[in-house]
Amino acid sequence: MDTNDPPADGRPPTKRPTARGRPFSQRTEQAIIEATTGLLAERPLSEISLDDIATQARVSKASIYRRWPTKGTLAFDAFMVDFLDRQPLPNTGRLEDDLLATLRNWVSAVDRTATGRALKGLIAEVQRDPALADAWRERFIGPVRARHLLLTERAKSRGELPPGADADLLLDILFGPAYHRLLHAHLPLDESFVRGVVRAIGAAIDAGVF
Amino acid sequence: MDTNDPPADGRPPTKRPTARGRPFSQRTEQAIIEATTGLLAERPLSEISLDDIATQARVSKASIYRRWPTKGTLAFDAFMVDFLDRQPLPNTGRLEDDLLATLRNWVSAVDRTATGRALKGLIAEVQRDPALADAWRERFIGPVRARHLLLTERAKSRGELPPGADADLLLDILFGPAYHRLLHAHLPLDESFVRGVVRAIGAAIDAGVF
Amino acid sequence: MDTNDPPADGRPPTKRPTARGRPFSQRTEQAIIEATTGLLAERPLSEISLDDIATQARVSKASIYRRWPTKGTLAFDAFMVDFLDRQPLPNTGRLEDDLLATLRNWVSAVDRTATGRALKGLIAEVQRDPALADAWRERFIGPVRARHLLLTERAKSRGELPPGADADLLLDILFGPAYHRLLHAHLPLDESFVRGVVRAIGAAIDAGVF
Amino acid sequence: MDTNDPPADGRPPTKRPTARGRPFSQRTEQAIIEATTGLLAERPLSEISLDDIATQARVSKASIYRRWPTKGTLAFDAFMVDFLDRQPLPNTGRLEDDLLATLRNWVSAVDRTATGRALKGLIAEVQRDPALADAWRERFIGPVRARHLLLTERAKSRGELPPGADADLLLDILFGPAYHRLLHAHLPLDESFVRGVVRAIGAAIDAGVF
DNA sequence: TCGTAACCGAGACGGTACGTCTGGTCTTTTT
DNA sequence: AAAAAGACCAGACGTACCGTCTCGGTTACGA
């Protein structure tokens, strides 16, 4: 494989190692990301072709493939820009309130929104593209999880959680049910759902489960 | 729409209303299901084409489309045959033990198995095919949920759960984290995970969350 | 190679050996040939894409590739339909007059005409596509030559040519200069050229060269 | 048009009018020509891309386009270097012997040789690139023809040809059949062919055709 | 028993997206 | 200002897949 191939593991397009030749134009990159974001707001990823993106961005397909190995990795990067900044980390001084704010915020970001549709499409794509799956774990699930672990660390330092608590389990119980309802749409992502999940976790904490 | 079109909502192929003409051959149907199951054991749904299935089953594509409207609905039916029977309903006399057996059983069915890969592929397909999404809710999530509600009903009659308990929330907290780890593969679906989830639910029950 | 691949040596699409499955539609084939002929009348082969042809014929690219392995072989077939019938075989009773009529007819068919442009484009394509080169020799040069050999055979039976005359050489001296001027356009394909070539051949016959 | 654009009509790259800035490196030019010649010896022009040439010559594509406007004109120049010097002008004192030597020499240069393949590829390219067609006539056909006209001029001064003889026709009858067999490969370019053509021309001369 | 409706396998059909390649131009750093 | 390197746009290429349609042929019911 050529050294100038795209990252292939889904890393975002960065500067090439050698500084020789014409560098990547950041205008091109930005146009691609913006076009992708715009199209993702209109329709699901599976109904967007790379030709659509190239046309919309007034860019050649080759310029896209130079940066991203698959449609999924591109959509992933476009999604990240949108999503991550909208997930502020609360700090109420009480874990249960932090979890409530976090989950409520997540729900409002994805429930029947363009972002939510993009997220569902991406999770679908992750199941069919192993390279994207790696990027997804390492560059989405991982960083998001790391941020959320700050909440449990603070709780530990406040004594709300024991020092050795299984924070990963706690966070999966927090988000797992939410992703479940998002993906299967069998029941609404409403306020009573959010409150119920968080109260269950609170009870589990009090009972020393984690 | 022609009366002889396939069910379109994903119902399994049944007898046509009028009995005139040559009836469906059940050998054909069986061959299709078997070929699909066999291919799903080898590789993900996204890498299986309908031509592959037709060739493998020594059947024409038209015979497939006569029965199932999309690849997803066929895969869905093939999956159901495999999956449902492997999910017996426990009856230990104690809710927490029932939940433990149920989740443990689910994990052993899907964790790094062909069934698990098929399930992931199907959930992906569900996100891109609205008709399949309906079938999925009505013919998979719904029935499975109905079976599991028997567990909570029994618990209610035993007094382990209050009569008005939100059993849907309870079940989403049970399965949500498991689907989460299945789809994102960020953490293992191991025994300690299963125990933790069930213990958390037990604590929530004791605290009267549901 | 699959038995249902296109002929690959450029034979025109005929009935598949096995009569199973949906047969080739001759309407489709006709539409493709007509579209190709129409486009060849407008612009040179090198500026016609298969997408153009497919769009013009209201046919999918796959339907074209099912029949012809390359653009050149398709253009070849389209050209043949146009060209061959326009080359009647004269029969004046005197070889030199037959040759004159034949060359004059060829010139009027190709000199600054759509057919001539198509012929030039095809000869160019023949140089870059070995499969087409075979087809060209066997299905164009060969048959045309065979027809022209009738002229020399008749001349032999009339005693105008000796029985063992090298008719191939004679015909190459007849057509070679004409193709030369067609392809290089360094001098006009005018009546004096035609007369000159034929008179030279006449002189060579009289001198017993052939 | 910029004064520093390449000749555009296919003239070979020469010194720029202004002597300012870094001068053309003749090593660059030589490397390009050598790479092109080398690649033309391996495979037909149509299978050689400008990227191939640039890579092979360790030169940038821009450096090529600075000198030649199209791939065809470059190949043309590379071909000329090879070809022209190999076509010495005979001077036997007798026209028919001169023609025989000339044609025999041409045949040995192109019959199943790398030069011959390059020539065929160039003629193909000429049909699709009008600018190259002009260059081809003016810088190849023209000069070569001019040289060959020396043969007929000498013959005229010796009285072998009448003063007003149509030498162009004569030369087209000499080379036309040869190009014909080269391009269509329907019959061999062998000695009997060469002799036959020349004898036919001899007979035509004797008969006063030209 | 015979007609007919609907099945059957095979595979062509139109349409669309893919990922690669090429030609010719442009942009950067280096010489 | 030319050089090498390589990104840029535009768009053709040949392949794959989808869901439908067409063919010759085969059941099995109902008249």
Side-chain angles (χ1 to χ4, degrees), chain A residues 138-164:
Chain A
E138 290 168 24
R139 299 188 37 239
F140 181 76
I141 298 291
V144 168
R145 171 66 41 116
R147 277 164 57 89
H148 290 149
L149 286 177
L150 291 178
L151 300 180
T152 57
E153 287 307 308
R154 286 198 214 118
K156 285 178 184 177
S157 63
R158 284 192 303 260
E160 291 182 88
L161 277 177

PDB file of all heavy atoms in Angstrom, chain A residues 138-164:
ATOM      1  N   GLU A 138     -12.548   3.862  18.776  1.00  0.00           N
ATOM      2  CA  GLU A 138     -11.395   4.616  19.260  1.00  0.00           C
ATOM      3  C   GLU A 138     -11.629   6.125  19.259  1.00  0.00           C
ATOM      4  O   GLU A 138     -11.046   6.833  20.083  1.00  0.00           O
ATOM      5  CB  GLU A 138     -10.165   4.290  18.409  1.00  0.00           C
ATOM      6  CG  GLU A 138      -9.662   2.872  18.651  1.00  0.00           C
ATOM      7  CD  GLU A 138      -8.637   2.449  17.609  1.00  0.00           C
ATOM      8  OE1 GLU A 138      -8.004   3.343  17.017  1.00  0.00           O
ATOM      9  OE2 GLU A 138      -8.499   1.233  17.371  1.00  0.00           O
ATOM     10  N   ARG A 139     -12.438   6.580  18.320  1.00  0.00           N
ATOM     11  CA  ARG A 139     -12.545   8.034  18.183  1.00  0.00           C
ATOM     12  C   ARG A 139     -13.917   8.567  18.539  1.00  0.00           C
ATOM     13  O   ARG A 139     -14.121   9.778  18.547  1.00  0.00           O
ATOM     14  CB  ARG A 139     -12.150   8.448  16.768  1.00  0.00           C
ATOM     15  CG  ARG A 139     -10.700   8.050  16.458  1.00  0.00           C
ATOM     16  CD  ARG A 139     -10.200   8.608  15.146  1.00  0.00           C
ATOM     17  NE  ARG A 139     -10.712   9.929  14.899  1.00  0.00           N
ATOM     18  CZ  ARG A 139     -11.453  10.274  13.843  1.00  0.00           C
ATOM     19  NH1 ARG A 139     -11.738   9.379  12.917  1.00  0.00           N
ATOM     20  NH2 ARG A 139     -11.892  11.487  13.706  1.00  0.00           N
ATOM     21  N   PHE A 140     -14.875   7.684  18.826  1.00  0.00           N
ATOM     22  CA  PHE A 140     -16.169   8.188  19.293  1.00  0.00           C
ATOM     23  C   PHE A 140     -16.492   7.605  20.669  1.00  0.00           C
ATOM     24  O   PHE A 140     -16.489   8.311  21.663  1.00  0.00           O
ATOM     25  CB  PHE A 140     -17.281   7.877  18.295  1.00  0.00           C
ATOM     26  CG  PHE A 140     -18.613   8.402  18.730  1.00  0.00           C
ATOM     27  CD1 PHE A 140     -18.909   9.758  18.629  1.00  0.00           C
ATOM     28  CD2 PHE A 140     -19.567   7.551  19.271  1.00  0.00           C
ATOM     29  CE1 PHE A 140     -20.127  10.253  19.055  1.00  0.00           C
ATOM     30  CE2 PHE A 140     -20.784   8.051  19.701  1.00  0.00           C
ATOM     31  CZ  PHE A 140     -21.064   9.397  19.588  1.00  0.00           C
ATOM     32  N   ILE A 141     -16.739   6.309  20.689  1.00  0.00           N
ATOM     33  CA  ILE A 141     -17.096   5.689  21.966  1.00  0.00           C
ATOM     34  C   ILE A 141     -16.037   5.987  23.023  1.00  0.00           C
ATOM     35  O   ILE A 141     -16.358   6.412  24.142  1.00  0.00           O
ATOM     36  CB  ILE A 141     -17.253   4.159  21.788  1.00  0.00           C
ATOM     37  CG1 ILE A 141     -18.380   3.852  20.795  1.00  0.00           C
ATOM     38  CG2 ILE A 141     -17.519   3.486  23.126  1.00  0.00           C
ATOM     39  CD1 ILE A 141     -19.747   4.175  21.291  1.00  0.00           C
ATOM     40  N   GLY A 142     -14.779   5.815  22.672  1.00  0.00           N
ATOM     41  CA  GLY A 142     -13.686   6.014  23.627  1.00  0.00           C
ATOM     42  C   GLY A 142     -13.654   7.418  24.210  1.00  0.00           C
ATOM     43  O   GLY A 142     -13.789   7.588  25.431  1.00  0.00           O
ATOM     44  N   PRO A 143     -13.509   8.437  23.365  1.00  0.00           N
ATOM     45  CA  PRO A 143     -13.451   9.806  23.897  1.00  0.00           C
ATOM     46  C   PRO A 143     -14.695  10.210  24.677  1.00  0.00           C
ATOM     47  O   PRO A 143     -14.592  10.836  25.727  1.00  0.00           O
ATOM     48  CB  PRO A 143     -13.287  10.652  22.639  1.00  0.00           C
ATOM     49  CG  PRO A 143     -12.621   9.749  21.666  1.00  0.00           C
ATOM     50  CD  PRO A 143     -13.172   8.388  21.944  1.00  0.00           C
ATOM     51  N   VAL A 144     -15.868   9.826  24.169  1.00  0.00           N
ATOM     52  CA  VAL A 144     -17.090  10.168  24.885  1.00  0.00           C
ATOM     53  C   VAL A 144     -17.084   9.493  26.253  1.00  0.00           C
ATOM     54  O   VAL A 144     -17.388  10.110  27.282  1.00  0.00           O
ATOM     55  CB  VAL A 144     -18.332   9.746  24.070  1.00  0.00           C
ATOM     56  CG1 VAL A 144     -19.583   9.822  24.921  1.00  0.00           C
ATOM     57  CG2 VAL A 144     -18.456  10.618  22.827  1.00  0.00           C
ATOM     58  N   ARG A 145     -16.705   8.229  26.230  1.00  0.00           N
ATOM     59  CA  ARG A 145     -16.636   7.502  27.501  1.00  0.00           C
ATOM     60  C   ARG A 145     -15.651   8.175  28.465  1.00  0.00           C
ATOM     61  O   ARG A 145     -15.939   8.324  29.664  1.00  0.00           O
ATOM     62  CB  ARG A 145     -16.210   6.054  27.204  1.00  0.00           C
ATOM     63  CG  ARG A 145     -15.863   5.166  28.369  1.00  0.00           C
ATOM     64  CD  ARG A 145     -17.024   4.849  29.287  1.00  0.00           C
ATOM     65  NE  ARG A 145     -18.297   4.570  28.666  1.00  0.00           N
ATOM     66  CZ  ARG A 145     -18.950   3.409  28.717  1.00  0.00           C
ATOM     67  NH1 ARG A 145     -18.426   2.394  29.390  1.00  0.00           N
ATOM     68  NH2 ARG A 145     -20.118   3.268  28.145  1.00  0.00           N
ATOM     69  N   ALA A 146     -14.503   8.608  27.909  1.00  0.00           N
ATOM     70  CA  ALA A 146     -13.492   9.246  28.761  1.00  0.00           C
ATOM     71  C   ALA A 146     -14.060  10.495  29.437  1.00  0.00           C
ATOM     72  O   ALA A 146     -13.824  10.749  30.632  1.00  0.00           O
ATOM     73  CB  ALA A 146     -12.255   9.592  27.934  1.00  0.00           C
ATOM     74  N   ARG A 147     -14.806  11.267  28.671  1.00  0.00           N
ATOM     75  CA  ARG A 147     -15.428  12.462  29.259  1.00  0.00           C
ATOM     76  C   ARG A 147     -16.407  12.086  30.372  1.00  0.00           C
ATOM     77  O   ARG A 147     -16.434  12.701  31.435  1.00  0.00           O
ATOM     78  CB  ARG A 147     -16.166  13.249  28.187  1.00  0.00           C
ATOM     79  CG  ARG A 147     -15.270  14.169  27.372  1.00  0.00           C
ATOM     80  CD  ARG A 147     -15.974  14.612  26.120  1.00  0.00           C
ATOM     81  NE  ARG A 147     -17.240  15.274  26.381  1.00  0.00           N
ATOM     82  CZ  ARG A 147     -17.372  16.589  26.596  1.00  0.00           C
ATOM     83  NH1 ARG A 147     -16.303  17.354  26.586  1.00  0.00           N
ATOM     84  NH2 ARG A 147     -18.551  17.112  26.812  1.00  0.00           N
ATOM     85  N   HIS A 148     -17.207  11.075  30.095  1.00  0.00           N
ATOM     86  CA  HIS A 148     -18.201  10.696  31.095  1.00  0.00           C
ATOM     87  C   HIS A 148     -17.552  10.106  32.334  1.00  0.00           C
ATOM     88  O   HIS A 148     -18.102  10.205  33.437  1.00  0.00           O
ATOM     89  CB  HIS A 148     -19.211   9.712  30.481  1.00  0.00           C
ATOM     90  CG  HIS A 148     -20.103  10.348  29.475  1.00  0.00           C
ATOM     91  ND1 HIS A 148     -20.614   9.680  28.394  1.00  0.00           N
ATOM     92  CD2 HIS A 148     -20.568  11.626  29.373  1.00  0.00           C
ATOM     93  CE1 HIS A 148     -21.352  10.512  27.674  1.00  0.00           C
ATOM     94  NE2 HIS A 148     -21.335  11.688  28.235  1.00  0.00           N
ATOM     95  N   LEU A 149     -16.385   9.504  32.141  1.00  0.00           N
ATOM     96  CA  LEU A 149     -15.704   8.947  33.311  1.00  0.00           C
ATOM     97  C   LEU A 149     -15.274  10.059  34.275  1.00  0.00           C
ATOM     98  O   LEU A 149     -15.064   9.803  35.464  1.00  0.00           O
ATOM     99  CB  LEU A 149     -14.482   8.125  32.872  1.00  0.00           C
ATOM    100  CG  LEU A 149     -14.821   6.758  32.243  1.00  0.00           C
ATOM    101  CD1 LEU A 149     -13.555   6.039  31.772  1.00  0.00           C
ATOM    102  CD2 LEU A 149     -15.573   5.872  33.237  1.00  0.00           C
ATOM    103  N   LEU A 150     -15.151  11.285  33.748  1.00  0.00           N
ATOM    104  CA  LEU A 150     -14.847  12.397  34.652  1.00  0.00           C
ATOM    105  C   LEU A 150     -15.953  12.553  35.697  1.00  0.00           C
ATOM    106  O   LEU A 150     -15.691  12.867  36.864  1.00  0.00           O
ATOM    107  CB  LEU A 150     -14.708  13.703  33.863  1.00  0.00           C
ATOM    108  CG  LEU A 150     -13.487  13.802  32.949  1.00  0.00           C
ATOM    109  CD1 LEU A 150     -13.501  15.132  32.193  1.00  0.00           C
ATOM    110  CD2 LEU A 150     -12.211  13.675  33.775  1.00  0.00           C
ATOM    111  N   LEU A 151     -17.205  12.318  35.239  1.00  0.00           N
ATOM    112  CA  LEU A 151     -18.324  12.425  36.180  1.00  0.00           C
ATOM    113  C   LEU A 151     -18.165  11.430  37.321  1.00  0.00           C
ATOM    114  O   LEU A 151     -18.340  11.777  38.501  1.00  0.00           O
ATOM    115  CB  LEU A 151     -19.658  12.160  35.462  1.00  0.00           C
ATOM    116  CG  LEU A 151     -20.042  13.070  34.297  1.00  0.00           C
ATOM    117  CD1 LEU A 151     -21.401  12.645  33.732  1.00  0.00           C
ATOM    118  CD2 LEU A 151     -20.096  14.528  34.767  1.00  0.00           C
ATOM    119  N   THR A 152     -17.857  10.193  36.963  1.00  0.00           N
ATOM    120  CA  THR A 152     -17.754   9.180  38.022  1.00  0.00           C
ATOM    121  C   THR A 152     -16.502   9.397  38.857  1.00  0.00           C
ATOM    122  O   THR A 152     -16.503   9.106  40.059  1.00  0.00           O
ATOM    123  CB  THR A 152     -17.743   7.764  37.411  1.00  0.00           C
ATOM    124  OG1 THR A 152     -16.655   7.659  36.475  1.00  0.00           O
ATOM    125  CG2 THR A 152     -19.047   7.479  36.690  1.00  0.00           C
ATOM    126  N   GLU A 153     -15.450   9.918  38.236  1.00  0.00           N
ATOM    127  CA  GLU A 153     -14.249  10.203  39.036  1.00  0.00           C
ATOM    128  C   GLU A 153     -14.549  11.257  40.092  1.00  0.00           C
ATOM    129  O   GLU A 153     -14.150  11.139  41.257  1.00  0.00           O
ATOM    130  CB  GLU A 153     -13.098  10.675  38.126  1.00  0.00           C
ATOM    131  CG  GLU A 153     -12.478   9.553  37.294  1.00  0.00           C
ATOM    132  CD  GLU A 153     -12.057   8.363  38.154  1.00  0.00           C
ATOM    133  OE1 GLU A 153     -11.329   8.577  39.151  1.00  0.00           O
ATOM    134  OE2 GLU A 153     -12.493   7.223  37.858  1.00  0.00           O
ATOM    135  N   ARG A 154     -15.267  12.306  39.651  1.00  0.00           N
ATOM    136  CA  ARG A 154     -15.635  13.345  40.623  1.00  0.00           C
ATOM    137  C   ARG A 154     -16.491  12.752  41.744  1.00  0.00           C
ATOM    138  O   ARG A 154     -16.309  13.055  42.917  1.00  0.00           O
ATOM    139  CB  ARG A 154     -16.438  14.449  39.929  1.00  0.00           C
ATOM    140  CG  ARG A 154     -15.605  15.351  39.039  1.00  0.00           C
ATOM    141  CD  ARG A 154     -16.380  16.645  38.764  1.00  0.00           C
ATOM    142  NE  ARG A 154     -16.109  17.156  37.428  1.00  0.00           N
ATOM    143  CZ  ARG A 154     -17.023  17.293  36.481  1.00  0.00           C
ATOM    144  NH1 ARG A 154     -18.296  16.961  36.709  1.00  0.00           N
ATOM    145  NH2 ARG A 154     -16.692  17.784  35.306  1.00  0.00           N
ATOM    146  N   ALA A 155     -17.409  11.862  41.333  1.00  0.00           N
ATOM    147  CA  ALA A 155     -18.277  11.239  42.335  1.00  0.00           C
ATOM    148  C   ALA A 155     -17.450  10.408  43.303  1.00  0.00           C
ATOM    149  O   ALA A 155     -17.710  10.383  44.506  1.00  0.00           O
ATOM    150  CB  ALA A 155     -19.335  10.378  41.656  1.00  0.00           C
ATOM    151  N   LYS A 156     -16.464   9.722  42.765  1.00  0.00           N
ATOM    152  CA  LYS A 156     -15.596   8.944  43.653  1.00  0.00           C
ATOM    153  C   LYS A 156     -14.874   9.863  44.632  1.00  0.00           C
ATOM    154  O   LYS A 156     -14.769   9.563  45.821  1.00  0.00           O
ATOM    155  CB  LYS A 156     -14.566   8.163  42.824  1.00  0.00           C
ATOM    156  CG  LYS A 156     -15.164   6.935  42.118  1.00  0.00           C
ATOM    157  CD  LYS A 156     -14.123   6.202  41.271  1.00  0.00           C
ATOM    158  CE  LYS A 156     -14.780   5.034  40.513  1.00  0.00           C
ATOM    159  NZ  LYS A 156     -13.810   4.338  39.633  1.00  0.00           N
ATOM    160  N   SER A 157     -14.381  10.984  44.126  1.00  0.00           N
ATOM    161  CA  SER A 157     -13.629  11.864  45.031  1.00  0.00           C
ATOM    162  C   SER A 157     -14.550  12.525  46.054  1.00  0.00           C
ATOM    163  O   SER A 157     -14.106  12.939  47.117  1.00  0.00           O
ATOM    164  CB  SER A 157     -12.868  12.930  44.229  1.00  0.00           C
ATOM    165  OG  SER A 157     -13.781  13.755  43.530  1.00  0.00           O
ATOM    166  N   ARG A 158     -15.830  12.602  45.709  1.00  0.00           N
ATOM    167  CA  ARG A 158     -16.786  13.144  46.681  1.00  0.00           C
ATOM    168  C   ARG A 158     -17.299  12.054  47.621  1.00  0.00           C
ATOM    169  O   ARG A 158     -18.057  12.327  48.530  1.00  0.00           O
ATOM    170  CB  ARG A 158     -17.989  13.744  45.945  1.00  0.00           C
ATOM    171  CG  ARG A 158     -17.726  15.096  45.310  1.00  0.00           C
ATOM    172  CD  ARG A 158     -19.033  15.751  44.856  1.00  0.00           C
ATOM    173  NE  ARG A 158     -19.776  14.925  43.943  1.00  0.00           N
ATOM    174  CZ  ARG A 158     -19.797  15.074  42.614  1.00  0.00           C
ATOM    175  NH1 ARG A 158     -19.105  16.041  42.051  1.00  0.00           N
ATOM    176  NH2 ARG A 158     -20.510  14.263  41.863  1.00  0.00           N
ATOM    177  N   GLY A 159     -16.949  10.809  47.329  1.00  0.00           N
ATOM    178  CA  GLY A 159     -17.407   9.725  48.174  1.00  0.00           C
ATOM    179  C   GLY A 159     -18.770   9.182  47.782  1.00  0.00           C
ATOM    180  O   GLY A 159     -19.325   8.322  48.459  1.00  0.00           O
ATOM    181  N   GLU A 160     -19.304   9.641  46.633  1.00  0.00           N
ATOM    182  CA  GLU A 160     -20.618   9.127  46.217  1.00  0.00           C
ATOM    183  C   GLU A 160     -20.507   7.734  45.624  1.00  0.00           C
ATOM    184  O   GLU A 160     -21.484   6.981  45.568  1.00  0.00           O
ATOM    185  CB  GLU A 160     -21.240  10.072  45.185  1.00  0.00           C
ATOM    186  CG  GLU A 160     -21.654  11.409  45.759  1.00  0.00           C
ATOM    187  CD  GLU A 160     -22.297  12.279  44.689  1.00  0.00           C
ATOM    188  OE1 GLU A 160     -23.520  12.172  44.496  1.00  0.00           O
ATOM    189  OE2 GLU A 160     -21.568  13.058  44.038  1.00  0.00           O
ATOM    190  N   LEU A 161     -19.333   7.438  45.116  1.00  0.00           N
ATOM    191  CA  LEU A 161     -19.062   6.100  44.579  1.00  0.00           C
ATOM    192  C   LEU A 161     -17.836   5.561  45.272  1.00  0.00           C
ATOM    193  O   LEU A 161     -16.908   6.322  45.575  1.00  0.00           O
ATOM    194  CB  LEU A 161     -18.765   6.165  43.080  1.00  0.00           C
ATOM    195  CG  LEU A 161     -19.911   6.214  42.069  1.00  0.00           C
ATOM    196  CD1 LEU A 161     -19.335   6.337  40.665  1.00  0.00           C
ATOM    197  CD2 LEU A 161     -20.787   4.964  42.179  1.00  0.00           C
ATOM    198  N   PRO A 162     -17.796   4.260  45.518  1.00  0.00           N
ATOM    199  CA  PRO A 162     -16.573   3.699  46.094  1.00  0.00           C
ATOM    200  C   PRO A 162     -15.422   3.806  45.098  1.00  0.00           C
ATOM    201  O   PRO A 162     -15.646   3.841  43.887  1.00  0.00           O
ATOM    202  CB  PRO A 162     -16.944   2.242  46.365  1.00  0.00           C
ATOM    203  CG  PRO A 162     -18.130   1.964  45.524  1.00  0.00           C
ATOM    204  CD  PRO A 162     -18.844   3.250  45.334  1.00  0.00           C
ATOM    205  N   PRO A 163     -14.199   3.852  45.597  1.00  0.00           N
ATOM    206  CA  PRO A 163     -13.045   4.063  44.704  1.00  0.00           C
ATOM    207  C   PRO A 163     -12.937   3.023  43.592  1.00  0.00           C
ATOM    208  O   PRO A 163     -12.552   3.339  42.476  1.00  0.00           O
ATOM    209  CB  PRO A 163     -11.847   3.950  45.648  1.00  0.00           C
ATOM    210  CG  PRO A 163     -12.388   4.224  47.013  1.00  0.00           C
ATOM    211  CD  PRO A 163     -13.807   3.725  47.008  1.00  0.00           C
ATOM    212  N   GLY A 164     -13.312   1.805  43.872  1.00  0.00           N
ATOM    213  CA  GLY A 164     -13.147   0.759  42.850  1.00  0.00           C
ATOM    214  C   GLY A 164     -14.403   0.496  42.031  1.00  0.00           C
ATOM    215  O   GLY A 164     -14.514  -0.538  41.369  1.00  0.00           O
TER     216      GLY A 164
END
